[in-house]
Amino acid sequence: MTNPSVIGRLDIEKIRTLFPVLHQQVNGKPLIYLDNAATTQKPISVLKALGHYYQSDNANIHRAAHTLAARATEYYEASRHTVKEFIHASEVEECIFTKGTTEGINLVAQSWGRSKLKVGDEVLISGMEHHSNIVPWQLISEEKGATLRVIPMNEAGELVMDEFEKLLSPKTKMVAVVYASNALGTINPVKEIIAKSHAAGAKVLIDGAQATSHIPIDVQDLGCDFFVFSAHKVYGPTGVGVLYGKRELLQQMPPYQGGGEMIKEVTFEQSTWNELPYKFEAGTPNIADVIAFKYALEFVNETGKEKIAAHEKELLLAFTDGLTKFGHTIQLIGTAANKVSVQSFLIKGQHPFDTGMLMDAKGIAVRTGHHCTQPLMKRFGVEGTVRASFAVYNTLDEVKVLLEAVHGLTKQVNK
Ligand code: PMP
Protein backbone atom coordinates (compact mmCIF):
# COMPACT_ATOMS: atom_id res chain seq x y z
CA MET A 1 0.00 0.00 0.00
CA THR A 2 1.24 3.49 -0.80
CA ASN A 3 2.92 5.58 1.88
CA PRO A 4 0.63 8.54 2.84
CA SER A 5 3.49 11.03 2.78
CA VAL A 6 4.15 10.16 -0.86
CA ILE A 7 0.61 10.58 -2.12
CA GLY A 8 -0.44 13.57 -0.02
CA ARG A 9 -2.84 13.79 2.88
CA LEU A 10 -6.57 14.19 2.82
CA ASP A 11 -8.33 16.98 4.65
CA ILE A 12 -10.40 14.69 6.84
CA GLU A 13 -12.19 17.52 8.65
CA LYS A 14 -13.38 18.83 5.29
CA ILE A 15 -14.47 15.34 4.26
CA ARG A 16 -16.41 14.99 7.51
CA THR A 17 -18.47 18.08 6.67
CA LEU A 18 -19.86 16.11 3.70
CA PHE A 19 -21.37 13.47 6.03
CA PRO A 20 -24.19 15.04 8.10
CA VAL A 21 -24.92 11.88 10.11
CA LEU A 22 -21.48 11.98 11.75
CA HIS A 23 -22.27 15.23 13.53
CA GLN A 24 -24.45 14.02 16.37
CA GLN A 25 -24.24 12.90 19.97
CA VAL A 26 -25.02 9.30 20.89
CA ASN A 27 -25.64 8.60 24.57
CA GLY A 28 -24.32 12.06 25.36
CA LYS A 29 -21.02 11.56 23.51
CA PRO A 30 -19.89 12.55 20.02
CA LEU A 31 -20.68 9.67 17.67
CA ILE A 32 -17.66 7.60 16.63
CA TYR A 33 -18.89 5.45 13.77
CA LEU A 34 -16.68 2.38 13.31
CA ASP A 35 -19.13 -0.03 11.70
CA ASN A 36 -18.17 0.78 8.15
CA ALA A 37 -17.76 -2.82 7.05
CA ALA A 38 -21.47 -3.28 7.76
CA THR A 39 -22.43 -0.11 5.92
CA THR A 40 -20.75 3.22 5.24
CA GLN A 41 -22.34 6.61 5.81
CA LYS A 42 -23.48 8.63 2.78
CA PRO A 43 -22.16 11.97 1.59
CA ILE A 44 -24.56 14.87 1.16
CA SER A 45 -24.32 14.57 -2.65
CA VAL A 46 -25.94 11.12 -2.43
CA LEU A 47 -28.66 12.37 -0.09
CA LYS A 48 -29.37 15.35 -2.34
CA ALA A 49 -29.53 13.13 -5.44
CA LEU A 50 -32.15 10.94 -3.75
CA GLY A 51 -34.29 13.94 -2.79
CA HIS A 52 -33.85 15.58 -6.16
CA TYR A 53 -34.90 12.49 -8.07
CA TYR A 54 -38.18 12.15 -6.17
CA GLN A 55 -38.86 15.89 -6.26
CA SER A 56 -38.08 16.48 -9.92
CA ASP A 57 -37.71 13.38 -12.05
CA ASN A 58 -39.64 10.45 -10.57
CA ALA A 59 -40.89 8.20 -13.38
CA ASN A 60 -40.51 4.60 -14.40
CA ILE A 61 -37.62 4.01 -16.76
CA HIS A 62 -37.19 2.62 -20.27
CA ARG A 63 -40.79 2.33 -21.42
CA ALA A 64 -42.32 5.74 -22.02
CA ALA A 65 -42.26 8.66 -24.42
CA HIS A 66 -42.65 11.38 -21.80
CA THR A 67 -39.96 13.73 -20.56
CA LEU A 68 -39.74 12.60 -16.94
CA ALA A 69 -39.30 8.97 -18.02
CA ALA A 70 -36.60 10.01 -20.47
CA ARG A 71 -34.78 11.93 -17.72
CA ALA A 72 -35.04 9.09 -15.21
CA THR A 73 -33.78 6.63 -17.83
CA GLU A 74 -30.89 8.90 -18.77
CA TYR A 75 -29.75 9.27 -15.14
CA TYR A 76 -30.20 5.56 -14.43
CA GLU A 77 -28.05 4.62 -17.42
CA ALA A 78 -25.52 7.33 -16.54
CA SER A 79 -25.01 5.52 -13.25
CA ARG A 80 -24.31 2.31 -15.11
CA HIS A 81 -21.70 4.15 -17.13
CA THR A 82 -20.02 5.42 -13.93
CA VAL A 83 -20.02 1.86 -12.54
CA LYS A 84 -18.42 0.59 -15.72
CA GLU A 85 -15.62 3.14 -15.41
CA PHE A 86 -15.23 2.54 -11.68
CA ILE A 87 -14.56 -1.19 -12.08
CA HIS A 88 -12.97 -0.88 -15.54
CA ALA A 89 -15.41 -3.18 -17.28
CA SER A 90 -15.01 -3.19 -21.02
CA GLU A 91 -18.72 -2.62 -21.71
CA VAL A 92 -21.69 -1.11 -19.85
CA GLU A 93 -23.75 -4.15 -20.85
CA GLU A 94 -21.58 -6.25 -18.54
CA CYS A 95 -22.74 -4.24 -15.51
CA ILE A 96 -26.04 -5.44 -14.08
CA PHE A 97 -27.80 -3.62 -11.27
CA THR A 98 -28.88 -5.88 -8.41
CA LYS A 99 -30.11 -5.39 -4.85
CA GLY A 100 -26.60 -6.01 -3.57
CA THR A 101 -23.78 -8.52 -3.26
CA THR A 102 -26.11 -11.22 -1.97
CA GLU A 103 -28.42 -10.97 -4.95
CA GLY A 104 -25.48 -10.91 -7.36
CA ILE A 105 -24.11 -14.18 -5.99
CA ASN A 106 -27.54 -15.80 -5.96
CA LEU A 107 -28.03 -14.70 -9.57
CA VAL A 108 -24.80 -16.38 -10.67
CA ALA A 109 -25.44 -19.51 -8.60
CA GLN A 110 -29.00 -19.90 -9.87
CA SER A 111 -28.42 -18.92 -13.49
CA TRP A 112 -24.85 -19.97 -14.31
CA GLY A 113 -24.84 -22.75 -11.69
CA ARG A 114 -28.15 -24.27 -12.68
CA SER A 115 -27.24 -24.32 -16.38
CA LYS A 116 -23.61 -25.46 -16.01
CA LEU A 117 -23.12 -27.58 -12.88
CA LYS A 118 -23.47 -31.37 -13.12
CA VAL A 119 -23.19 -34.35 -10.79
CA GLY A 120 -19.58 -34.73 -9.63
CA ASP A 121 -18.59 -31.10 -10.31
CA GLU A 122 -16.98 -29.07 -7.57
CA VAL A 123 -17.44 -25.50 -6.37
CA LEU A 124 -14.50 -24.10 -4.44
CA ILE A 125 -14.99 -21.38 -1.85
CA SER A 126 -12.76 -20.23 1.01
CA GLY A 127 -12.97 -20.63 4.77
CA MET A 128 -13.47 -16.89 5.25
CA GLU A 129 -16.58 -16.44 3.09
CA HIS A 130 -19.57 -14.41 4.18
CA HIS A 131 -22.72 -16.57 4.39
CA SER A 132 -23.87 -14.96 1.16
CA ASN A 133 -20.97 -16.63 -0.68
CA ILE A 134 -21.60 -20.00 1.00
CA VAL A 135 -25.34 -20.64 1.12
CA PRO A 136 -26.18 -19.88 -2.55
CA TRP A 137 -23.50 -22.40 -3.57
CA GLN A 138 -24.78 -24.96 -1.08
CA LEU A 139 -28.30 -24.61 -2.47
CA ILE A 140 -27.30 -25.07 -6.10
CA SER A 141 -24.69 -27.75 -5.37
CA GLU A 142 -27.28 -29.81 -3.53
CA GLU A 143 -29.72 -29.42 -6.39
CA LYS A 144 -27.19 -30.34 -9.09
CA GLY A 145 -25.23 -33.03 -7.23
CA ALA A 146 -22.06 -30.91 -7.06
CA THR A 147 -19.70 -30.77 -4.07
CA LEU A 148 -18.60 -27.70 -2.16
CA ARG A 149 -14.91 -27.61 -1.20
CA VAL A 150 -13.23 -25.10 1.10
CA ILE A 151 -9.78 -23.47 0.94
CA PRO A 152 -8.38 -23.44 4.50
CA MET A 153 -6.81 -20.49 6.37
CA ASN A 154 -3.75 -20.19 8.57
CA GLU A 155 -3.76 -18.71 12.10
CA ALA A 156 -3.31 -15.18 10.76
CA GLY A 157 -6.43 -15.56 8.64
CA GLU A 158 -4.69 -15.92 5.29
CA LEU A 159 -5.62 -18.48 2.67
CA VAL A 160 -3.26 -21.45 2.47
CA MET A 161 -2.38 -21.19 -1.20
CA ASP A 162 -0.69 -24.62 -1.41
CA GLU A 163 -3.93 -26.18 -0.23
CA PHE A 164 -5.86 -24.11 -2.76
CA GLU A 165 -3.72 -25.49 -5.55
CA LYS A 166 -4.21 -29.03 -4.28
CA LEU A 167 -7.98 -28.54 -4.22
CA LEU A 168 -8.07 -27.34 -7.84
CA SER A 169 -8.83 -30.14 -10.28
CA PRO A 170 -10.63 -30.73 -13.56
CA LYS A 171 -13.75 -31.22 -11.41
CA THR A 172 -13.58 -27.60 -10.19
CA LYS A 173 -16.10 -25.60 -12.20
CA MET A 174 -16.42 -22.48 -10.06
CA VAL A 175 -14.08 -20.76 -7.61
CA ALA A 176 -16.00 -18.17 -5.56
CA VAL A 177 -13.83 -16.19 -3.15
CA VAL A 178 -13.95 -12.98 -1.20
CA TYR A 179 -11.50 -10.23 -2.19
CA ALA A 180 -11.31 -8.81 1.36
CA SER A 181 -12.77 -10.52 4.42
CA ASN A 182 -15.43 -8.61 6.34
CA ALA A 183 -14.53 -10.33 9.61
CA LEU A 184 -10.72 -10.40 9.35
CA GLY A 185 -9.83 -7.70 6.87
CA THR A 186 -7.56 -10.10 4.95
CA ILE A 187 -6.97 -9.11 1.33
CA ASN A 188 -6.75 -12.30 -0.70
CA PRO A 189 -4.38 -12.72 -3.68
CA VAL A 190 -7.32 -12.83 -6.05
CA LYS A 191 -5.33 -12.21 -9.22
CA GLU A 192 -3.27 -15.32 -8.54
CA ILE A 193 -6.41 -17.27 -7.58
CA ILE A 194 -8.10 -16.23 -10.82
CA ALA A 195 -5.12 -17.16 -13.01
CA LYS A 196 -4.67 -20.56 -11.35
CA SER A 197 -8.40 -21.31 -11.44
CA HIS A 198 -8.57 -20.43 -15.12
CA ALA A 199 -5.58 -22.66 -15.82
CA ALA A 200 -7.56 -25.48 -14.19
CA GLY A 201 -10.58 -24.67 -16.38
CA ALA A 202 -12.76 -23.12 -13.65
CA LYS A 203 -14.71 -19.87 -13.70
CA VAL A 204 -14.16 -17.34 -10.91
CA LEU A 205 -16.53 -15.12 -8.96
CA ILE A 206 -15.03 -12.45 -6.74
CA ASP A 207 -17.04 -11.11 -3.80
CA GLY A 208 -15.90 -7.51 -3.82
CA ALA A 209 -18.24 -6.29 -1.04
CA GLN A 210 -15.42 -5.24 1.29
CA ALA A 211 -12.77 -4.49 -1.31
CA THR A 212 -14.52 -1.99 -3.54
CA SER A 213 -14.32 1.02 -1.22
CA HIS A 214 -10.64 0.44 -0.39
CA ILE A 215 -8.88 -1.13 -3.39
CA PRO A 216 -8.86 0.11 -7.01
CA ILE A 217 -10.91 -2.40 -8.99
CA ASP A 218 -10.05 -3.38 -12.54
CA VAL A 219 -12.07 -6.41 -13.54
CA GLN A 220 -10.25 -6.71 -16.86
CA ASP A 221 -6.85 -6.70 -15.21
CA LEU A 222 -8.05 -9.18 -12.57
CA GLY A 223 -9.54 -11.34 -15.32
CA CYS A 224 -12.43 -12.55 -13.12
CA ASP A 225 -15.56 -13.93 -14.76
CA PHE A 226 -17.91 -12.36 -12.22
CA PHE A 227 -17.45 -9.55 -9.69
CA VAL A 228 -20.12 -8.51 -7.20
CA PHE A 229 -20.42 -5.65 -4.74
CA SER A 230 -22.93 -3.52 -2.82
CA ALA A 231 -23.38 0.24 -3.16
CA HIS A 232 -24.03 0.74 0.54
CA LYS A 233 -20.48 -0.27 1.46
CA VAL A 234 -19.03 2.29 -0.98
CA TYR A 235 -20.77 5.37 0.48
CA GLY A 236 -23.88 4.70 -1.64
CA PRO A 237 -27.48 3.82 -0.82
CA THR A 238 -28.78 0.47 0.40
CA GLY A 239 -30.74 -1.77 -1.95
CA VAL A 240 -28.35 -1.41 -4.89
CA GLY A 241 -25.49 -3.56 -6.02
CA VAL A 242 -23.64 -4.56 -9.14
CA LEU A 243 -22.98 -7.84 -10.82
CA TYR A 244 -20.22 -7.61 -13.39
CA GLY A 245 -19.96 -10.58 -15.72
CA LYS A 246 -18.04 -11.25 -18.89
CA ARG A 247 -20.37 -10.69 -21.84
CA GLU A 248 -19.75 -14.13 -23.30
CA LEU A 249 -20.87 -15.82 -20.06
CA LEU A 250 -23.82 -13.51 -19.40
CA GLN A 251 -25.06 -14.13 -22.91
CA GLN A 252 -25.07 -17.90 -22.40
CA MET A 253 -26.81 -17.69 -19.03
CA PRO A 254 -30.59 -18.05 -18.71
CA PRO A 255 -32.57 -15.30 -16.93
CA TYR A 256 -32.61 -15.38 -13.14
CA GLN A 257 -36.07 -13.86 -12.73
CA GLY A 258 -38.91 -13.44 -15.22
CA GLY A 259 -41.05 -10.33 -15.61
CA GLY A 260 -41.16 -6.95 -17.26
CA GLU A 261 -38.12 -5.41 -18.94
CA MET A 262 -36.17 -8.68 -19.24
CA ILE A 263 -38.11 -9.88 -22.31
CA LYS A 264 -38.04 -9.17 -26.02
CA GLU A 265 -41.34 -10.81 -26.87
CA VAL A 266 -43.91 -12.71 -24.84
CA THR A 267 -46.61 -15.08 -26.05
CA PHE A 268 -48.50 -17.59 -23.93
CA GLU A 269 -46.47 -20.31 -25.55
CA GLN A 270 -43.00 -18.89 -25.06
CA SER A 271 -40.91 -15.77 -24.47
CA THR A 272 -37.62 -14.43 -25.78
CA TRP A 273 -35.12 -12.48 -23.75
CA ASN A 274 -34.01 -8.87 -23.89
CA GLU A 275 -30.41 -7.85 -24.56
CA LEU A 276 -27.82 -7.47 -21.82
CA PRO A 277 -27.96 -6.05 -19.21
CA TYR A 278 -31.78 -5.93 -19.18
CA LYS A 279 -32.14 -9.72 -19.41
CA PHE A 280 -31.10 -9.77 -15.75
CA GLU A 281 -33.04 -6.71 -14.55
CA ALA A 282 -36.63 -7.96 -14.33
CA GLY A 283 -39.22 -5.56 -12.97
CA THR A 284 -38.97 -1.94 -11.89
CA PRO A 285 -35.52 -1.49 -10.41
CA ASN A 286 -34.45 0.66 -7.48
CA ILE A 287 -34.27 3.72 -9.74
CA ALA A 288 -33.65 6.46 -7.15
CA ASP A 289 -30.89 4.59 -5.35
CA VAL A 290 -29.16 3.57 -8.57
CA ILE A 291 -29.17 7.21 -9.66
CA ALA A 292 -27.80 8.38 -6.29
CA PHE A 293 -25.14 5.66 -6.33
CA LYS A 294 -23.32 7.54 -9.09
CA TYR A 295 -22.62 10.37 -6.64
CA ALA A 296 -21.09 7.95 -4.14
CA LEU A 297 -18.67 6.65 -6.76
CA GLU A 298 -17.86 10.19 -7.79
CA PHE A 299 -17.11 11.01 -4.15
CA VAL A 300 -14.61 8.11 -4.04
CA ASN A 301 -13.11 9.11 -7.40
CA GLU A 302 -12.71 12.73 -6.38
CA THR A 303 -11.22 11.82 -3.00
CA GLY A 304 -8.89 9.25 -4.57
CA LYS A 305 -8.83 5.60 -3.62
CA GLU A 306 -5.10 5.56 -2.99
CA LYS A 307 -5.40 8.43 -0.56
CA ILE A 308 -8.40 6.82 1.10
CA ALA A 309 -6.53 3.52 1.48
CA ALA A 310 -3.42 5.22 2.86
CA HIS A 311 -5.47 7.14 5.45
CA GLU A 312 -7.40 4.02 6.48
CA LYS A 313 -4.18 2.05 6.77
CA GLU A 314 -2.82 4.66 9.16
CA LEU A 315 -5.94 4.31 11.31
CA LEU A 316 -5.77 0.51 11.23
CA LEU A 317 -2.10 0.44 12.22
CA ALA A 318 -2.66 2.92 15.05
CA PHE A 319 -5.50 0.78 16.35
CA THR A 320 -3.77 -2.62 16.08
CA ASP A 321 -0.53 -1.22 17.55
CA GLY A 322 -2.54 0.20 20.44
CA LEU A 323 -4.35 -3.08 21.04
CA THR A 324 -1.08 -5.00 20.99
CA LYS A 325 0.18 -2.81 23.84
CA PHE A 326 -2.64 -4.11 26.04
CA GLY A 327 -0.91 -7.51 25.95
CA HIS A 328 -2.68 -10.72 26.92
CA THR A 329 -5.96 -8.97 27.83
CA ILE A 330 -6.73 -8.70 24.11
CA GLN A 331 -7.11 -11.45 21.52
CA LEU A 332 -6.63 -10.21 17.97
CA ILE A 333 -8.45 -12.16 15.27
CA GLY A 334 -7.20 -11.47 11.77
CA THR A 335 -3.52 -10.57 11.63
CA ALA A 336 -2.84 -11.06 7.93
CA ALA A 337 0.04 -9.13 6.38
CA ASN A 338 -2.22 -7.57 3.76
CA LYS A 339 -5.44 -6.10 5.12
CA VAL A 340 -8.19 -3.57 4.58
CA SER A 341 -9.10 -1.40 7.56
CA VAL A 342 -10.96 -3.99 9.61
CA GLN A 343 -9.86 -5.36 12.98
CA SER A 344 -11.64 -8.04 14.95
CA PHE A 345 -10.72 -8.59 18.58
CA LEU A 346 -11.94 -9.88 21.91
CA ILE A 347 -11.42 -8.52 25.40
CA LYS A 348 -10.48 -11.61 27.36
CA GLY A 349 -13.19 -12.52 29.85
CA GLN A 350 -15.84 -10.32 28.25
CA HIS A 351 -18.57 -11.42 25.84
CA PRO A 352 -18.29 -9.42 22.59
CA PHE A 353 -21.90 -8.30 22.89
CA ASP A 354 -21.17 -6.75 26.30
CA THR A 355 -18.13 -4.97 24.83
CA GLY A 356 -20.37 -3.61 22.07
CA MET A 357 -22.99 -2.33 24.53
CA LEU A 358 -20.38 -0.69 26.75
CA MET A 359 -18.81 0.97 23.70
CA ASP A 360 -22.20 2.22 22.57
CA ALA A 361 -22.66 3.88 25.96
CA LYS A 362 -19.57 5.93 25.03
CA GLY A 363 -20.96 6.84 21.59
CA ILE A 364 -18.75 4.31 19.81
CA ALA A 365 -20.44 2.16 17.16
CA VAL A 366 -18.63 -1.15 16.63
CA ARG A 367 -20.12 -4.41 15.40
CA THR A 368 -20.26 -7.53 17.51
CA GLY A 369 -21.23 -11.10 16.66
CA HIS A 370 -20.35 -13.62 14.00
CA HIS A 371 -20.43 -11.09 11.13
CA CYS A 372 -22.31 -13.63 8.94
CA THR A 373 -19.19 -15.80 8.94
CA GLN A 374 -20.07 -18.63 11.32
CA PRO A 375 -17.65 -21.18 9.77
CA LEU A 376 -14.84 -18.64 10.12
CA MET A 377 -15.71 -18.06 13.79
CA LYS A 378 -15.66 -21.83 14.32
CA ARG A 379 -12.20 -22.01 12.69
CA PHE A 380 -10.89 -19.53 15.26
CA GLY A 381 -12.76 -21.21 18.12
CA VAL A 382 -14.87 -18.17 19.01
CA GLU A 383 -18.59 -17.45 18.97
CA GLY A 384 -18.13 -13.93 17.75
CA THR A 385 -15.82 -10.94 17.83
CA VAL A 386 -15.87 -7.18 18.31
CA ARG A 387 -15.05 -5.52 15.00
CA ALA A 388 -13.87 -1.99 14.36
CA SER A 389 -13.84 -1.00 10.69
CA PHE A 390 -12.55 2.33 9.46
CA ALA A 391 -13.62 4.57 6.59
CA VAL A 392 -12.21 7.72 5.07
CA TYR A 393 -14.02 10.03 7.51
CA ASN A 394 -12.59 8.40 10.65
CA THR A 395 -9.78 10.16 12.49
CA LEU A 396 -6.75 9.30 14.60
CA ASP A 397 -8.47 11.10 17.48
CA GLU A 398 -11.35 8.66 17.19
CA VAL A 399 -8.90 5.75 17.27
CA LYS A 400 -7.44 7.26 20.44
CA VAL A 401 -10.86 7.42 22.10
CA LEU A 402 -11.57 3.85 20.99
CA LEU A 403 -8.30 2.61 22.44
CA GLU A 404 -8.97 4.42 25.72
CA ALA A 405 -12.41 2.79 25.86
CA VAL A 406 -10.94 -0.68 25.19
CA HIS A 407 -8.24 -0.08 27.78
CA GLY A 408 -10.87 0.94 30.35
CA LEU A 409 -12.81 -2.25 29.69
CA THR A 410 -9.75 -4.50 29.92
CA LYS A 411 -8.95 -3.00 33.32
CA GLN A 412 -12.55 -3.47 34.46
CA VAL A 413 -12.63 -7.15 33.41
CA ASN A 414 -9.18 -8.03 34.68
CA LYS A 415 -9.17 -6.18 38.01
N1 PMP B 1 -19.82 -10.42 1.25
C1 PMP B 1 -19.13 -9.72 2.15
C2 PMP B 1 -17.65 -9.92 2.25
C3 PMP B 1 -19.78 -8.81 2.98
O1 PMP B 1 -19.07 -8.11 3.87
C4 PMP B 1 -21.17 -8.64 2.86
C5 PMP B 1 -21.93 -7.69 3.77
N2 PMP B 1 -21.56 -7.76 5.10
C6 PMP B 1 -21.85 -9.38 1.89
C7 PMP B 1 -21.14 -10.26 1.12
C8 PMP B 1 -23.32 -9.23 1.69
O2 PMP B 1 -23.59 -7.94 1.24
P1 PMP B 1 -25.10 -7.41 1.14
O3 PMP B 1 -25.72 -7.68 2.48
O4 PMP B 1 -24.94 -5.95 0.85
O5 PMP B 1 -25.76 -8.17 0.05
Side-chain angles (χ1 to χ4, degrees):
M1 206 165 287
T2 321
N3 179 339
S5 60
V6 176
I7 58 172
R9 284 183 174 274
L10 292 171
D11 184 345
I12 304 300
E13 284 314 314
K14 195 164 154 210
I15 287 173
R16 287 177 69 83
T17 64
L18 305 176
F19 290 83
V21 76
L22 298 175
H23 306 283
Q24 61 175 297
Q25 302 254 316
V26 168
N27 296 320
K29 306 273 192 234
L31 168 66
I32 298 183
Y33 184 79
L34 300 173
D35 194 15
N36 296 289
T39 198
T40 51
Q41 300 299 347
K42 325 300 173 200
I44 194 97
S45 55
V46 169
L47 308 180
K48 276 190 181 156
L50 281 171
H52 185 269
Y53 167 75
Y54 283 119
Q55 279 169 25
S56 313
D57 306 319
N58 178 46
N60 211 331
I61 54 171
H62 291 147
R63 290 178 297 268
H66 66 82
T67 300
L68 261 56
R71 276 208 307 253
T73 305
E74 184 189 330
Y75 300 149
Y76 182 89
E77 291 304 329
S79 246
R80 200 190 307 275
H81 189 78
T82 304
V83 165
K84 175 214 168 233
E85 302 282 307
F86 195 80
I87 61 170
H88 295 94
S90 57
E91 304 171 36
V92 279
E93 292 82 4
E94 295 178 321
C95 302
I96 294 153
F97 284 120
T98 62
K99 277 195 305 192
T101 305
T102 304
E103 192 179 47
I105 299 170
N106 277 280
L107 192 164
V108 177
Q110 290 299 319
S111 171
W112 180 90
R114 178 165 294 128
S115 59
K116 300 285 183 193
L117 290 174
K118 297 185 302 299
V119 175
D121 285 347
E122 293 182 357
V123 173
L124 191 51
I125 60 172
S126 88
M128 65 176 82
E129 297 309 316
H130 188 277
H131 295 164
S132 63
N133 202 24
I134 303 174
V135 184
W137 298 113
Q138 280 175 336
L139 290 171
I140 197 65
S141 296
E142 195 175 332
E143 189 182 314
K144 303 300 289 186
T147 306
L148 202 61
R149 299 239 178 265
V150 183
I151 311 165
M153 286 176 284
N154 63 20
E155 274 304 304
E158 293 161 326
L159 295 183
V160 183
M161 292 301 279
D162 289 351
E163 293 298 323
F164 159 63
E165 286 184 43
K166 281 188 216 153
L167 283 163
L168 272 181
S169 83
K171 289 190 205 159
T172 319
K173 292 294 168 343
M174 168 61 75
V175 177
V177 289
V178 70
Y179 200 153
S181 157
N182 64 311
L184 304 172
T186 312
I187 299 175
N188 288 318
V190 289
K191 203 168 169 182
E192 184 186 341
I193 291 173
I194 293 162
K196 289 187 169 149
S197 304
H198 282 168
K203 301 291 180 226
V204 185
L205 176 142
I206 299 297
D207 172 354
Q210 294 295 335
T212 308
S213 69
H214 309 285
I215 304 169
I217 305 296
D218 186 330
V219 289
Q220 292 183 76
D221 180 54
L222 288 173
C224 53
D225 300 288
F226 302 103
F227 186 96
V228 287
F229 69 102
S230 302
H232 72 97
K233 294 184 199 276
V234 198
Y235 307 101
T238 50
V240 175
V242 173
L243 161 65
Y244 157 83
K246 283 184 180 159
R247 174 187 274 277
E248 186 198 341
L249 290 170
L250 293 174
Q251 259 166 344
Q252 292 166 14
M253 285 159 52
Y256 170 52
Q257 292 183 326
E261 195 57 38
M262 52 72 71
I263 50 84
K264 194 172 271 167
E265 208 179 332
V266 176
T267 66
F268 285 120
E269 288 71 39
Q270 63 168 34
S271 304
T272 52
W273 315 135
N274 203 343
E275 304 298 324
L276 291 173
Y278 311 114
K279 181 170 85 173
F280 292 108
E281 291 182 4
T284 301
N286 187 349
I287 304 166
D289 292 288
V290 165
I291 289 173
F293 180 29
K294 180 182 198 300
Y295 294 84
L297 297 180
E298 282 172 358
F299 162 74
V300 174
N301 285 337
E302 281 157 22
T303 311
K305 254 203 205 165
E306 287 221 321
K307 288 185 186 172
I308 294 175
H311 171 66
E312 292 170 339
K313 173 125 193 168
E314 203 176 348
L315 300 177
L316 178 72
L317 289 181
F319 183 51
T320 42
D321 280 359
L323 285 182
T324 312
K325 293 200 180 95
F326 302 150
H328 72 280
T329 55
I330 296 288
Q331 181 186 354
L332 289 181
I333 295 146
T335 51
N338 198 11
K339 285 182 58 164
V340 293
S341 48
V342 167
Q343 185 62 57
S344 268
F345 65 97
L346 286 170
I347 296 178
K348 294 227 177 108
Q350 187 169 67
H351 194 280
F353 189 68
D354 292 336
T355 312
M357 296 283 284
L358 292 162
M359 292 279 187
D360 184 55
K362 294 174 190 295
I364 303 172
V366 288
R367 185 140 299 241
T368 59
H370 55 62
H371 316 295
C372 296
T373 56
Q374 282 178 350
L376 183 155
M377 295 294 131
K378 202 168 165 201
R379 159 68 179 79
F380 284 95
V382 296
E383 240 179 82
T385 71
V386 184
R387 180 187 72 187
S389 50
F390 305 97
V392 64
Y393 39 67
N394 291 123
T395 65
L396 279 171
D397 282 344
E398 289 181 324
V399 173
K400 229 169 108 187
V401 176
L402 172 67
L403 282 168
E404 277 161 17
V406 175
H407 194 213
L409 294 179
T410 58
K411 284 203 293 201
Q412 218 172 299
V413 175
N414 294 288
K415 72 178 172 209

